[in-house]
C-alpha cells in the first residue's frame, strides 16, 4: 500500500513570498496536498536513501572523527577548511531536514543531525582555543589577531600561522553565525554551555566592525593583485550584516534556554554594515569591480539585500562579466588554477595579473548558486537555464539510480575548468572559443567537497525533496517586513513600517525651564515627572553592556566600550527591573568643543530624527529623548531651538512623521529591549547616574527676553606667539600675571607645554590644569579660536569620527590630512580611533595647532555630507583636508568675510563647507571670476567625469606616458597591469595632478588632458611617440597668450592666463597641442612612417606650423551649427593630415570651451 507523506509544519507555515522581489512561480504556490503527494512515499524514501548514500560516501566519509571538520578536498589528510566544513555541514543538515518528512527514517535523521552538530561544535571548539585572539581583535582589527580559517584536521589546533596564510576572512565567521541560527532553529542542540554562549556573543562583536575591517575576502587573496594587502570587501560586509540580523535575539539553547543564552546585537553596528554594504554594491572592493562572492552575499545563503534595483544591478554585472561555458570566473584576472600561475609563490609580483586576463578558470560550483537563487526566487527559466549548463559538467561513476539531471550517480564535480597552454592565445583573442580541461581536484579520487556539498543541496531542491522554507527557517530570503512575526521579549529586525512615526520625548532640566517652554506652547517633562522611568546617558548604557559576554575563564571582557548610536538610544530598556530611556550622543557633555555650538546642536537634532526615521528596522516605534538644559537658554541661538521644538509639535520634521508626547503615553508603542543578562550580574561595574532635575527656588524666567544671553567675546590687540617664543620661563610667568586676553594666555601655556610638558607648575597649578580651565572659559565665552587651540593642545578627538571616516572610504574616495606645503598623509583604509588620534596630533599639530582639530571637524562634516548628499563630491577622488580649508578661505573672501575660519563657530564652518561644495548650483548668488572658480575647483580636486578614461586613452597612444613636474605616469605597466575603471588607476592620475603647485594650474592641466584625448580620439591614425610634458604645454600656451598681447607679467607668471574664460584657454591649449603634433616625433598606430601618413592626406586643407601659430584663436561654432567653420588653407612642406585640424578646431570645443 502506498502512503502519502503529511505536509510538514515548515512548509505550511512558510508559503509567504515577497511581492517586492517580483516572484512569478513557486512550488509553494501549489496546494499543500499537491506538493506533499508529488511523489509517493516509497519513491520519496528511495530518493532520500540514495542521497543519504551519496552524503555518506562523499561527505561524512571525509569528516574528521575527532573534530568533525572537513578538509578542502578528500585527498587532504592534515588541514581542515572552515568554509568547506560549514557548507558540508549545511548540506548534511539539508538532508536531515528532508528526512524529517519520513515517519520511519531508521535513525537517519538523528545520525545526520549529530554529524552536523559534531562539525559545528568542532569549529566552535577550535575558535574557543583562540579566545585571546577574539579579545584582541575587538580592540585592534589586524591580521595577527584574526581567528583562523584552517585548523589541524584531527586535533583542531592551529596549523598555519598568519604569516603563512591569510586567515582574516570576516565572511567565514559570519557564515558560521548564520548557519548556527538556522540549525538551532531546526531543533539541533549545538551550543551546550554558557561559556560557549559567551564565545558566540563575542563572535558577534568580532563581525560587528566588518564595515571598517579590511580583510582577505572569500578567496583569501585580499586585493585582486594578490600582493598581501587586504581591503574592504562588500561580500564580507554583506555576510556580516546578514549574520547580525539572524543572530539578534536568538536563544542558543533553543526552546530550552533561559535569558542567559540570548545573543544581542548592536543595531547601530548592523546599520553601518548595511549602509556601507549597499554603498559598495555593485562593486566588490576597490580593486575588484565584480566578484562571484557577491552572489553569495545578495542571494543564498546570506540574502543581504532585498533592494530589487541593487540586487538586479549586481547580479547582471556578475553574469555579464564572469559567466563562461564551464562555470563562472571568481573575478577578472584571477590566476588561480591557470597554467600560468606559479603555485609555489604565495604572492604575485607586479604586473602578474595582466597575463591572466581572459584565461581565468571557470568554476561550475557557481552554476549551482544560480540554480538555488532561481529556486528561492521562483524563477523557473533561470533554474532550467543553469541546469542545462551544469548537466554536461558533472561526472558519474555509473552506479544505481538517477539524479535530477537524468544521469546515473555517484556524481562528482570538478573544482574548475582551465585553458591548456596550447590554447591560451586563441582564448585571449576570442573568449569562450577554446576547449577547457577539468581540474584534478574534483574527480573521484580527490573530491572538491564544497562543490559536492552544494550539488547535494541543489538536487534536493530540484527534486522537491526539501522545501526552501525547511532550509531557511528564519526566512532570510524574504524582506524583513514579510517574515513571520517573532513573539519574543527581544527586539527583532522586522522591517520598516510605511508610515513610521518617530516618537519624541522632551525632558527639561528644571521646572523653571519647563515653565518657560510652556509659555510658548511647548510641553515638556522634568526627570521627576517621567519616574519611575530613568533618563540615562548612552555612556551609562555602555557600562551596562560591558557585562554582556564576559567570561573570565576564556579571558573575554564583554562588549568593547563603543558608543551607543542614534538607533540604540531610540529603544526603551528594561534592566534588572528598571525602565530606562537614553538620550542621544549629541547631548553628552563631551570634552570636544562642538557641544558649545547651539546652532550645530539644532542641526544635529534634525539630522538625528531624520536618520532614525530613515534607518529604523526594528519592531515597535523609535523613541528619541531630547534634553533641554538651562545652559542652552543663555545661548544666542536658543530662539532657534524653540522654533525647532515648535516645528516638532506640528508632527513633522523635514518630511519625517513625529509624535511629541509624554513618555508614559508613548511607552506602549515603543520598541522595548529586555537586557535580561543583567539579572545575573553580580556587579554592574559602575552605579548608573540618571539625569537629575535641578532644584530652583523660584520659577524664574517666563520669556526668552528675560534670559541673560551669553556674552559676545572679542579680543583687541592680542599678543602673537612670535612675540613670546623667545621669552624665558621667568618672563612668561611675569607676563602671565598681567595678561587678560585668552589668546595670549593660550600662547604662554603652549610654549610652557612644549618646553616642560603638562606637569610643569605655573603659579602652583600644572600647565594641563591651566589648559583645562582656559578651555572651559573659552567655551563659555564662545571664543572659538582659543577653544580650538586649547582642545588641540589637550589632544582631544571628536566623538565617533571613525564611522564617518569609513563612510568616505567606502564611497570610493580617499582623504588626506596635512598642512599645505608639507607632506600629506593619505588614508585609504579604515583606522581605529587611536590611529586617527595619532595621525592628527602627530602629523598636523606640530605644523599647525588649530588645524589638528579643525581638520577633524571637516572629516566629520564631509562624512555626514557624503552619506546624505554624495552628489556634492562628484568628481572629487581624494578629499585633501588642508586644501579643502584653503577653498573655504577663498570662498569666504569672495563673500567679503574677513573672519578667519578658526574663529568661526562649528555650525558656520559646516555651512561654509556646504556652500563651497555646492558652488555650481549657488553660482547665481555670488559673483565669481574664472580664476576664482579654478582656484576653488583645484583646491577641492574636482575633475570632469571622464578624466580618468581620457588619461587611459592618451596612455594607449603615448609610448612615453605623461609627466607633471617630477611625477611620471608611464604607459607600461599602467595600462597592462590595471583597468580603466579601477580605483588604483584613478588614484595614480589624481596623485599626478596633485603635483601642480597651484590649484588653478591643476584645472588648466585637466582641461589640457581633455583636449588631447579628444584630438587623438578623432584622429585614430596619430599617436605621441615621446613623453607628454603637461606642465611644459601649459607654459607654451601661456607664451602664446603673451604673444597675442595678453596681460599677466613675465612668462613665469600665469596670473593673466588663469583669468581667461575656459573658451579662451582652450584655444591657446589647442594651438599648443597642434604645435607638438606637427613638430615633435609622431608615429601612426600601425607603425607606418609618419611622413607617409602626412603625405597620404594631400587632399585635405594644408596648414603650416607658422600659419597655425599665427592664426588667432578659432571662432567657436554655435550649438546648432552642423559644419565646422572654414579655415584658410596654405601650402607647406609640412602638411597637416586630412581633416584633422578642421575637425579639431571646429568640433572639439563647445561654446563654453569644454570638450
Amino acid at each position: 500500500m502506498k502512503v502519502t507523506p503529511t505536509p510538514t509544519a515548515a512548509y505550511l507555515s512558510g508559503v509567504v513570498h515577497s511581492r517586492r522581489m517580483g516572484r512569478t512561480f513557486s512550488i509553494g504556490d501549489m496546494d499543500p496536498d499537491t506538493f506533499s503527494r508529488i511523489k509517493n512515499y516509497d519513491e520519496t524514501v528511495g530518493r532520500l536513501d540514495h542521497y543519504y548514500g551519496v552524503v555518506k560516501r562523499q561527505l561524512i566519509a571525509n569528516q574528521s572523527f575527532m573534530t568533525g571538520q572537513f578538509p578542502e578536498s578528500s585527498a587532504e589528510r592534515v588541514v581542515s577548511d572552515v568554509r568547506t566544513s560549514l557548507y558540508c555541514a549545511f548540506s548534511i543538515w539539508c538532508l536531515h531536514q528532508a528526512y524529517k518528512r519520513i515517519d520511519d527514517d531508521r535513525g537517519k535523521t538523528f545520525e545526520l543531525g549529530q554529524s552536523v552538530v559534531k562539525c559545528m561544535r568542532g569549529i566552535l571548539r577550535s575558535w574557543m582555543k583562540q579566545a585571546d585572539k577574539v579579545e584582541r581583535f575587538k580592540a585592534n582589527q589586524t591580521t595577527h589577531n584574526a581567528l583562523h580559517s584552517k585548523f589541524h584536521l584531527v586535533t583542531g589546533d592551529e596549523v598555519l600561522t598568519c604569516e603563512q596564510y591569510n586567515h582574516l576572512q570576516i565572511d567565514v565567521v559570519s557564515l558560521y553565525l548564520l548557519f548556527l541560527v538556522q540549525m538551532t532553529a531546526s531543533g539541533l542542540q549545538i551550543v551546550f554551555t554558557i561559556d560557549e554562549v559567551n564565545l558566540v556573543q563575542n563572535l558577534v562583536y568580532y563581525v560587528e566592525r566588518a564595515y571598517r575591517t579590511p580583510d582577505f575576502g572569500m578567496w583569501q587573496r585580499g586585493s585582486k593583485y594578490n600582493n598581501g594587502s587586504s581591503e574592504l570587501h562588500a561580500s564580507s560586509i554583506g555576510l556580516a550584516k546578514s549574520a547580525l540580523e539572524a543572530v539578534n535575539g536568538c536563544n542558543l539553547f533553543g526552546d530550552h534556554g533561559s535569558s542567559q543564552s540570548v545573543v544581542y546585537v548592536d543595531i547601530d553596528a548592523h546599520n553601518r554594515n548595511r549602509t556601507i554594504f549597499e554603498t559598495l554594491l555593485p562593486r566588490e572592493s576597490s580593486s575588484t569591480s565584480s566578484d562571484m562572492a557577491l552572489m553569495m552575499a545578495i542571494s543564498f545563503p546570506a540574502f543581504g539585500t532585498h533592494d530589487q534595483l541593487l540586487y538586479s544591478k549586481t547580479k547582471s554585472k556578475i553574469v555579464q562579466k564572469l559567466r563562461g561555458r564551464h562555470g563562472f570566473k571568481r573575478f577578472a584576472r584571477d590566476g588561480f588554477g591557470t597554467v600560468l600561475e606559479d603555485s609555489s609563490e604565495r604572492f604575485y609580483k607586479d604586473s602578474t595579473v595582466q597575463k591572466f586576463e581572459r584565461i581565468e578558470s571557470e568554476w561550475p560550483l557557481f552554476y549551482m548558486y544560480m540554480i538555488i537563487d532561481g529556486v528561492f526566487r521562483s524563477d523557473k527559466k533561470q533554474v532550467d537555464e543553469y541546469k542545462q549548463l551544469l548537466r554536461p559538467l558533472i561526472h558519474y561513476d555509473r552506479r544505481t539510480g538517477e539524479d535530477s539531471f537524468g544521469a546515473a550517480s555517484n556524481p562528482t564535480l570538478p573544482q574548475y575548468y582551465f585553458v591548456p597552454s596550447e590554447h591560451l592565445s586563441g582564448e585571449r583573442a576570442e573568449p569562450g572559443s577554446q576547449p577547457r580541461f577539468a581540474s584534478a581536484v574534483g574527480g573521484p579520487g580527490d573530491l572538491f567537497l564544497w562543490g559536492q556539498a552544494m550539488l547535494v543541496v541543489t538536487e534536493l531542491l530540484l527534486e522537491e525533496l526539501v522545501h526552501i522554507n525547511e532550509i531557511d527557517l528564519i526566512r532570510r530570503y524574504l524582506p524583513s517586513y514579510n517574515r513571520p512575526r517573532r513573539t519574543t521579549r527581544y527586539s527583532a529586525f522586522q522591517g520598516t513600517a510605511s508610515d513610521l512615526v518617530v516618537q519624541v520625548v522632551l525632558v527639561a532640566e528644571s521646572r523653571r525651564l519647563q515653565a518657560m517652554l510652556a509659555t510658548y506652547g511647548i510641553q515638556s517633562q522634568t526627570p521627576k515627572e517621567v519616574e519611575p522611568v530613568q533618563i540615562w546617558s548612552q555612556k551609562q548604557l555602555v557600562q551596562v553592556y560591558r557585562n554582556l559576554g564576559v567570561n573570565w575563564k576564556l579571558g573575554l571582557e564583554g562588549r568593547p566600550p563603543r558608543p551607543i548610536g542614534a538607533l540604540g538610544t531610540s529603544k526603551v530598556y528594561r534592566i534588572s527591573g528598571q525602565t530606562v530611556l537614553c538620550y542621544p550622543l549629541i547631548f553628552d557633555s563631551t570634552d570636544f568643543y562642538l557641544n558649545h555650538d547651539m546652532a550645530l546642536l539644532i542641526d544635529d537634532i534634525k539630522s538625528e530624527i531624520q536618520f532614525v526615521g530613515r534607518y529604523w528596522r526594528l519592531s515597535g516605534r523609535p523613541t528619541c529623548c531630547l534634553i533641554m538644559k538651562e545652559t542652552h537658554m543663555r545661548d544666542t541661538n536658543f530662539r532657534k531651538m524653540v522654533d525647532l521644538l515648535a516645528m516638532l509639535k506640528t508632527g513633522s520634521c523635514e518630511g519625517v512623521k513625529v509624535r511629541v508626547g509624554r513618555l508614559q503615553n508613548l511607552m506602549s508603542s515603543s520598541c522595548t529591549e529586555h537586557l535580561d543578562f543583567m539579572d545575573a550580574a553580580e556587579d554592574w561595574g559602575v552605579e548608573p547616574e540618571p539625569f537629575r532635575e535641578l532644584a530652583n527656588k523660584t520659577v524664574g524666567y517666563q520669556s526668552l527676553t528675560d534670559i541673560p544671553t551669553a556674552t559676545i567675546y572679542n579680543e583687541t590687540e592680542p599678543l602673537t606667539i612670535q612675540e613670546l617664543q623667545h621669552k624665558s620661563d621667568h618672563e612668561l610667568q611675569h607676563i602671565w600675571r598681567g595678561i587678560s586676553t585668552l589668546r595670549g594666555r593660550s600662547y604662554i601655556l603652549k610654549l610652557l607645554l612644549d618646553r616642560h610638558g603638562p606637569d610643569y607648575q605655573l603659579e602652583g597649578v600644572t600647565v594641563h590644569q591651566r589648559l583645562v580651565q582656559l578651555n572651559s572659559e573659552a567655551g563659555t565665552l564662545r571664543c572659538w579660536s582659543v577653544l580650538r587651540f586649547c582642545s588641540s593642545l589637550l589632544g582631544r578627538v571628536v566623538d565617533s569620527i571613525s564611522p564617518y571616516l569609513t563612510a568616505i572610504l567606502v564611497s570610493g574616495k580617499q582623504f588626506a590630512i596635512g598642512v599645505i606645503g608639507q607632506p600629506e598623509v593619505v588614508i585609504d583604509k579604515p583606522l581605529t580611533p587611536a590611529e586617527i588620534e595619532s595621525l592628527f596630533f602627530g602629523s598636523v599639530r606640530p605644523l599647525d595647532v588649530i588645524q589638528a582639530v579643525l581638520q577633524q571637524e571637516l572629516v566629520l562634516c564631509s562624512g555626514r555630507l557624503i552619506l546624505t548628499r554624495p552628489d556634492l563630491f562628484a568628481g572629487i577622488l581624494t578629499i585633501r583636508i588642508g586644501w579643502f580649508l584653503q577653498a573655504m578661505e577663498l570662498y569666504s573672501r569672495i563673500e567679503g568675510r574677513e573672519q578667519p575660519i578658526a574663529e568661526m563657530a562649528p555650525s558656520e564652518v559646516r555651512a561654509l563647507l556646504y556652500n563651497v561644495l555646492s558652488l555650481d548650483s549657488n553660482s547665481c548668488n555670488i559673483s565669481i571670476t574664472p580664476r576664482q572658480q579654478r582656484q576653488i575647483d583645484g583646491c577641492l580636486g574636482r575633475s570632469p567625469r571622464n578624466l580618468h578614461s581620457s588619461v587611459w586613452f592618451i596612455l594607449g597612444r603615448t609610448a612615453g606616458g605623461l609627466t607633471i613636474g617630477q611625477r611620471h605616469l608611464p604607459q607600461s605597466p599602467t595600462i597592462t597591469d590595471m583597468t580603466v575603471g579601477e580605483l588604483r588607476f584613478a588614484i595614480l592620475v589624481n596623485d599626478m595632478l596633485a603635483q601642480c603647485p597651484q590649484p588653478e594650474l591643476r584645472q588648466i592641466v585637466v582641461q589640457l588632458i581633455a583636449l588631447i584625448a579628444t584630438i587623438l580620439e578623432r584622429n585614430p591614425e596619430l599617436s605621441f611617440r615621446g613623453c607628454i610634458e603637461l606642465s611644459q604645454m601649459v607654459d607654451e600656451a601661456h607664451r602664446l597668450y603673451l604673444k597675442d598681447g595678453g596681460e599677466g607679467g613675465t612668462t613665469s607668471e600665469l596670473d593673466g592666463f588663469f583669468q581667461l574664460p575656459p573658451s579662451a584657454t582652450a584655444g591657446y591649449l589647442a594651438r599648443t597641442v597642434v604645435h607638438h603634433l606637427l613638430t615633435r616625433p609622431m608615429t601612426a598606430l600601425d607603425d607606418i612612417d609618419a611622413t607617409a601618413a602626412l603625405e597620404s592626406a594631400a587632399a585635405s586643407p594644408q596648414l603650416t606650423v607658422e600659419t597655425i601659430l599665427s592664426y588667432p584663436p578659432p571662432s567657436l561654432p554655435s550649438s546648432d551649427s552642423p559644419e565646422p567653420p572654414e579655415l584658410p588653407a596654405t601650402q607647406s612642406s609640412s602638411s597637416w593630415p586630412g581633416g584633422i585640424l578642421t575637425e579639431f578646431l571646429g568640433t572639439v570645443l563647445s561654446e563654453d570651451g569644454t570638450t
Side-chain angles (χ1 to χ4, degrees), residues 629-691:
K629 298 182 179 180
E630 288 201 348
T631 54
H632 295 158
M633 293 191 301
R634 300 189 67 248
D635 196 281
T636 55
N637 289 308
F638 187 62
R639 186 177 296 275
K640 295 180 180 179
M641 175 67 78
V642 174
D643 294 339
L644 170 63
L645 299 179
M647 180 183 68
L648 296 179
K649 185 181 175 183
T650 64
S652 176
C653 179
E654 299 187 354
V656 178
K657 293 182 180 180
V658 175
R659 181 187 176 191
V660 181
R662 295 176 60 85
L663 179 57
Q664 289 81 353
N665 298 334
L666 303 177
M667 288 287 293
S668 60
S669 55
S670 298
C671 174
T672 303
E673 186 74 88
H674 294 78
L675 303 187
D676 294 333
F677 63 89
M678 290 300 298
D679 295 342
E682 298 178 0
D683 183 14
W684 282 29
V686 178
E687 187 68 24
E689 299 179 3
F691 185 62

Side-chain angles (χ1 to χ4, degrees), residues 383-398:
V383 171
D384 291 341
E385 177 185 3
Y386 285 99
K387 180 179 173 182
Q388 295 302 318
L389 290 171
L390 183 62
R391 185 197 304 271
L393 306 179
I394 301 177
H395 299 233
Y396 302 91
D397 59 4
R398 300 302 169 187

Side-chain angles (χ1 to χ4, degrees), residues 344 458 613 1107 1134:
S344 64
T458 303
T1107 303
S1134 298

Side-chain angles (χ1 to χ4, degrees), residues 201 204 208 244 247-249 263-267 270 493 571:
Q201 179 66 64
V204 171
E208 274 184 346
L244 293 175
V247 79
N248 183 49
V263 178
Y264 294 82
V265 168
D266 181 357
I267 181 178
H270 163 268
F493 292 96
K571 296 190 282 188

